[in-house]
Amino acid sequence: MEDRKNLNTDFQINFDYVLTNLEKDILKANSLEDKLYLEISKSKVISLLNYVYKNIKCWGNSYNMKQYETIIDKYAEIESIVSQLELCLADYEKQFHMNGISYSIFQIGKILSNVMEKSDKNGR
């Protein structure tokens, strides 16, 4: 039971970190110059940030409803997009939080893996 509480707390901390920093990064992205960022336009960067934000925002409810598969189904795509953004915005790491967002998404993946493993052991 305590493990489950810790997983829930860890999920919430990482989830909150990702959403908060994505919101900030979306606002900052609007101030970027109109140029390519490793072959991705400013508008595409903004579009990808918004796409990631909208998808991850749903994860909190899915997690609380124990609909882990919903998160897992989108996880690889979201992780890939965040990695791409992290690379594109590497020269702007002081303004953007892509490294931290990427790390927190990785942590969410580990938490989901642990939750699914525990569910399988418990037969649920």
Side-chain angles (χ1 to χ4, degrees):
M1 179 73 163
E2 188 65 33
D3 280 346
R4 180 65 181 195
K5 229 186 228 187
N6 289 338
L7 288 175
N8 291 343
T9 300
D10 290 347
F11 178 88
Q12 194 62 51
I13 289 168
N14 284 288
F15 176 75
D16 290 344
Y17 177 88
V18 169
L19 285 184
T20 298
N21 286 291
L22 278 171
E23 287 172 358
K24 291 176 185 176
D25 286 355
I26 290 167
L27 293 173
K28 289 177 189 170
N30 288 309
S31 300
L32 287 171
E33 295 177 41
D34 283 326
K35 66 176 194 172
L36 293 180
Y37 296 87
L38 202 62
E39 300 184 16
I40 295 180
S41 68
K42 170 187 171 178
S43 63
K44 185 67 174 180
V45 168
I46 293 168
S47 174
L48 289 172
L49 284 167
N50 279 305
Y51 180 79
V52 168
Y53 179 81
K54 286 177 186 174
N55 278 276
I56 290 178
K57 192 172 183 179
C58 299
W59 289 5
N61 192 42
S62 295
Y63 185 86
N64 291 333
M65 302 282 288
K66 297 182 179 167
Q67 297 172 341
Y68 309 120
E69 292 296 328
T70 304
I71 302 169
I72 292 167
D73 289 345
K74 278 289 203 182
Y75 182 84
E77 177 190 12
I78 297 302
E79 184 181 40
S80 175
I81 293 170
V82 169
S83 293
Q84 181 181 18
L85 287 167
E86 185 179 10
L87 184 60
C88 292
L89 298 171
D91 291 341
Y92 302 88
E93 65 183 329
K94 290 184 181 178
Q95 292 100 331
F96 292 88
H97 300 90
M98 296 313 299
N99 290 342
I101 291 169
S102 180
Y103 180 77
S104 285
I105 289 173
F106 171 75
Q107 291 300 316
I108 288 171
K110 283 178 43 179
I111 292 163
L112 288 171
S113 178
N114 287 336
V115 167
M116 295 302 288
E117 183 179 301
K118 289 182 188 318
S119 293
D120 288 346
K121 285 181 181 177
N122 293 331
R124 294 185 234 175

